């Protein structure tokens, strides 16, 4: 990829000044975004895009309420300023300002006095995790409610409470952010992250941080593919983007949905609906040679926005690369998915893995051996001994033979790496040396 130095490892913090590790900078960004009450529409989403725009210049798109998008309609815009439950003494016993998860996301406005017995059906808690606040939404049914820990709920005395949700649900817009890097070709790699969750770190802020820093790492490189980064509200955002771009979605050759990339668990790849797309093979190759445990899942029509990208009308080659998948860590969709749960080293490792996958896609070319009748003599071309101060390993020598043998215009470098059981960069390096020696030509597909 452009031969540029790998930028993972150090960089600027989200706030600009100090040199910190990339992982720490990602974590800083998550901490800054954490308190904001995001939703599938509204000012919290916009403010989050503004913060990301300090790292990459996002283009903000606004789609009006009521716009038909395939079988869906862009919903009303939701904004919230304050919400609380006050006891008879006037104390805020549940306070939206203390945690954005306290409000049932998309709650309609209310301000009234209510008996605890009537309030109870509108209170959501987790009896099995009594210290945690759950995350609940009601996007498509107009109602209101609060989320609180079971301990808070148990501590509410009988009697009357003042409830207030100072929100608006009105015609407005659905907002999303887009960042495009033009490469040599119009063929695109899609990186998509949902950005609609409020104060939750692994499930969605980690994806936003990874997409931001990945885009920043790529934007000044010489690239073969064009890259499209989407920061969208989950489900309705992907549906909206696809509806507005249905005619040009064909350009997406490879894609990854980013989420849950900051927890300490192992990497998990969920294959695209196609199952054997180049992106599937590329990710699995990188994970296989990573020296770390990992797992691979088959596609299923559940999960994140790969559901939309892989719907049969599009069937794009889009998989999802995460650490512990959604719903499989106990902190998922609770207040325990906080800034302590996501870790700088895990974020950085996830980013490096994504970069490795993209570097593989960039370099995965097909060649023809220009001297295919018996082996060409490598010694006289300086390819078979230590030359110019560079000593090549036996694996490097072996890789030359593999590339020469399989460079028949039919095998990509990834095919060769898989067949030879070698890491992709070793095979890529062999191809570069053979190309320089005039023994290969690239087949443009
Ligand atoms: Zn979620």
């Amino acid at each position: 990829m452009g031969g540029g130095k790998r930028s993972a490892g150090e960089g600027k913090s989200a706030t600009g000044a100090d040199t910190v590790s990339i992982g720490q900078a990602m974590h800083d960004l998550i901490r800054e975004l954490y308190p904001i009450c995001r939703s599938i529409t509204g000012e919290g989403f916009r403010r989050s895009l503004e913060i990301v725009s300090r790292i990459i210049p996002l283009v903000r798109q606004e789609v009006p309420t009521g716009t038909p998008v395939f079988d869906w309609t862009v919903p009303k815009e939701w904004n919230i300023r304050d919400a609380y439950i006050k006891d008879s003494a006037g104390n805020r016993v549940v306070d939206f300002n203390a945690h954005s998860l306290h409000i049932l996301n998309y709650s309609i406005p209310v301000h009234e006095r209510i008996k605890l017995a009537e309030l109870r059906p509108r209170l959501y808690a987790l009896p099995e995790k009594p210290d945690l606040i759950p995350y609940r939404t009601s996007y498509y049914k107009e109602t209101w409610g609060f989320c609180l820990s079971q301990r808070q709920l148990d501590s509410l005395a009988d009697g009357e409470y003042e409830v207030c949700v100072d929100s608006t649900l009105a015609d407005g817009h659905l907002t999303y952010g887009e960042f495009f890097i033009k490469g040599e070709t119009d063929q695109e790699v899609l990186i998509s992250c949902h950005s609609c969750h409020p104060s939750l770190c692994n499930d969605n802020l980690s994806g936003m941080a990874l997409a931001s820093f990945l885009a920043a790492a790529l934007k000044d490189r010489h690239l073969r593919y064009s890259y499209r980064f989407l920061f969208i509200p989950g489900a309705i955002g992907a549906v909206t983007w696809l509806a507005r771009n249905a005619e040009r979605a064909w350009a997406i050759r490879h894609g990854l949905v980013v989420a849950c990339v900051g927890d300490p668990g192992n990497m998990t790849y969920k294959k695209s609906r196609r199952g054997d797309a180049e992106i599937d093979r590329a990710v699995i190759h990188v994970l296989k040679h990573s020296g770390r445990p990992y797992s691979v899942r088959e596609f299923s029509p559940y999960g994140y926005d790969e559901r939309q990208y892989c719907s049969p009308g599009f069937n794009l080659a889009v998989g999802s690369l995460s650490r512990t998948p959604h719903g499989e860590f106990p902190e998922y969709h609770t207040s325990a998915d906080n800034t302590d749960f996501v870790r700088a080293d895990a974020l950085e490792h996830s980013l490096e893995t994504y970069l490795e996958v993209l570097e593989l896609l960039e370099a995965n070319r097909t060649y023809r051996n220009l001297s295919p009748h018996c082996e060409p003599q490598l010694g006289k071309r300086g390819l078979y001994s230590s030359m110019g101060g560079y000593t090549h390993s036996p694996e490097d020598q072996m890789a030359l033979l593999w590339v020469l043998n399989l460079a028949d215009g039919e095998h990509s470098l990834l095919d060769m790496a898989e067949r030879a059981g070698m890491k992709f960069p070793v095979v890529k390096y062999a191809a570069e040396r053979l190309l320089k020696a005039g023994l290969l030509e690239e087949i443009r597909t």
Side-chain angles (χ1 to χ4, degrees), residues 20-335:
V20 295
S21 75
I22 284 273
Q24 191 54 53
M26 293 167 78
H27 199 270
D28 288 349
L29 176 64
I30 288 173
R31 282 213 313 276
E32 187 172 0
L33 291 167
Y34 180 67
I36 299 172
C37 184
R38 278 162 295 275
S39 186
I40 54 172
T41 62
E43 284 305 321
F45 198 102
R46 291 192 188 95
R47 196 148 20 110
S48 303
L49 293 187
E50 275 166 29
I51 291 169
V52 169
S53 291
R54 296 208 306 266
I55 298 166
I56 44 162
L58 286 180
V59 175
R60 201 172 88 187
Q61 309 281 359
E62 298 280 355
V63 186
T65 298
T67 305
V69 285
F70 296 123
D71 202 39
W72 297 73
T73 305
V74 171
K76 289 178 184 171
E77 180 177 326
W78 182 68
N79 284 290
I80 182 158
R81 288 157 293 279
D82 195 9
Y84 57 81
I85 301 173
K86 275 186 188 170
D87 64 16
S88 53
N91 302 310
R92 289 188 178 218
V93 290
V94 177
D95 184 1
F96 167 74
N97 292 310
H99 207 300
S100 78
L101 289 182
H102 275 315
I103 191 72
L104 172 70
N105 204 282
Y106 249 66
S107 281
I108 56 173
V110 63
H111 194 179
E112 64 185 35
R113 291 192 166 276
I114 186 170
K115 289 245 179 343
L116 181 61
E118 292 167 63
L119 180 57
R120 260 186 198 281
R122 295 181 178 275
L123 300 181
Y124 302 90
L126 295 168
E128 68 283 9
K129 295 171 187 166
D131 292 315
L132 306 184
I133 311 166
Y135 166 52
R136 295 277 188 276
T137 66
S138 185
Y139 301 139
Y140 301 104
K141 180 175 173 242
E142 294 194 3
T143 185
W144 61 269
F146 287 85
C147 304
L148 69 175
S149 71
Q150 185 66 38
R151 283 194 210 291
Q152 268 179 303
L153 180 56
D154 293 342
S155 72
L156 296 181
D158 275 338
E160 204 174 60
Y161 289 85
E162 177 191 344
V163 294
C164 173
V165 178
D166 180 10
S167 68
T168 46
L169 184 61
D171 284 355
H173 294 84
L174 177 149
T175 308
Y176 64 86
E178 200 162 7
F179 180 61
F180 184 71
I181 307 172
K182 179 80 185 87
E184 237 177 82
T185 71
D186 292 333
Q187 298 179 357
E188 291 181 13
V189 178
L190 174 71
I191 303 291
S192 177
C193 63
H194 65 289
S195 309
C196 53
H197 286 27
S199 305
L200 293 163
C201 287
N202 201 34
D203 182 11
N204 107 173
L205 291 180
S206 70
M208 293 174 70
L210 189 144
S212 304
F213 281 84
L214 185 61
L218 293 178
K219 71 179 169 30
D220 298 322
R221 295 193 190 186
H222 179 81
L223 299 163
R224 168 192 184 192
Y225 289 112
S226 296
Y227 285 79
R228 187 173 301 279
F229 291 81
L230 296 181
F231 295 75
I232 51 178
I236 188 68
V239 172
T240 300
W241 189 88
L242 286 165
R244 300 178 97 205
N245 296 277
E247 296 306 314
R248 37 181 310 289
W250 60 267
I252 296 168
R253 297 298 299 269
H254 320 284
L256 288 171
V257 167
V258 195
C260 302
V261 287
D263 66 279
N266 298 322
M267 300 298 295
T268 304
Y269 180 62
K270 176 184 169 183
K271 291 183 190 175
S272 74
R273 180 177 180 270
R274 298 184 191 181
D276 62 348
E278 194 177 334
I279 185 69
D280 300 319
R281 298 179 58 224
V283 174
I284 292 165
H285 181 87
V286 166
L287 294 179
K288 192 165 77 183
H289 289 275
S290 67
R292 298 189 185 215
Y294 67 95
S295 61
V296 176
R297 309 270 174 95
E298 294 300 324
F299 176 79
S300 78
Y302 188 69
Y304 293 117
D305 287 327
E306 66 278 6
R307 293 161 69 158
Q308 315 307 333
Y309 302 122
C310 296
S311 58
F314 290 101
N315 197 21
L316 298 174
V318 176
S320 181
L321 181 55
S322 61
R323 303 187 77 88
T324 307
H326 63 89
E328 296 183 26
F329 48 95
E331 296 82 357
Y332 175 74
H333 278 192
T334 75
S335 52

Side-chain angles (χ1 to χ4, degrees), residues 247-423:
E247 296 306 314
R248 37 181 310 289
W250 60 267
I252 296 168
R253 297 298 299 269
H254 320 284
L256 288 171
V257 167
V258 195
C260 302
V261 287
D263 66 279
N266 298 322
M267 300 298 295
T268 304
Y269 180 62
K270 176 184 169 183
K271 291 183 190 175
S272 74
R273 180 177 180 270
R274 298 184 191 181
D276 62 348
E278 194 177 334
I279 185 69
D280 300 319
R281 298 179 58 224
V283 174
I284 292 165
H285 181 87
V286 166
L287 294 179
K288 192 165 77 183
H289 289 275
S290 67
R292 298 189 185 215
Y294 67 95
S295 61
V296 176
R297 309 270 174 95
E298 294 300 324
F299 176 79
S300 78
Y302 188 69
Y304 293 117
D305 287 327
E306 66 278 6
R307 293 161 69 158
Q308 315 307 333
Y309 302 122
C310 296
S311 58
F314 290 101
N315 197 21
L316 298 174
V318 176
S320 181
L321 181 55
S322 61
R323 303 187 77 88
T324 307
H326 63 89
E328 296 183 26
F329 48 95
E331 296 82 357
Y332 175 74
H333 278 192
T334 75
S335 52
D337 184 1
N338 59 24
T339 52
D340 292 332
F341 179 56
V342 291
R343 301 186 187 178
D345 58 341
L347 290 161
E348 184 157 334
H349 172 253
S350 298
L351 176 66
E352 284 169 356
T353 306
Y354 268 78
L355 275 169
E356 264 185 72
V357 170
L358 299 182
E359 284 165 359
L360 191 161
L361 292 175
E362 285 281 322
N364 189 25
R365 320 246 174 166
T366 303
Y367 298 94
R368 180 180 290 121
N369 179 347
L370 295 172
S371 182
H373 298 104
C374 301
E375 291 178 1
Q377 212 185 323
L378 297 179
K380 71 179 183 190
R381 295 179 173 89
L383 291 169
Y384 223 82
S385 58
S386 52
M387 294 289 294
Y390 297 103
T391 306
H392 293 102
S393 68
E395 194 186 29
D396 284 328
Q397 305 283 12
M398 203 55 210
L400 292 174
L401 300 181
W402 273 112
V403 174
L404 282 169
N405 189 278
L406 292 177
D408 54 5
E410 302 289 327
H411 294 82
S412 70
L413 291 187
L414 179 56
D415 295 331
M416 298 180 198
E418 289 288 296
R419 182 126 172 216
M422 290 174 168
K423 278 188 176 195

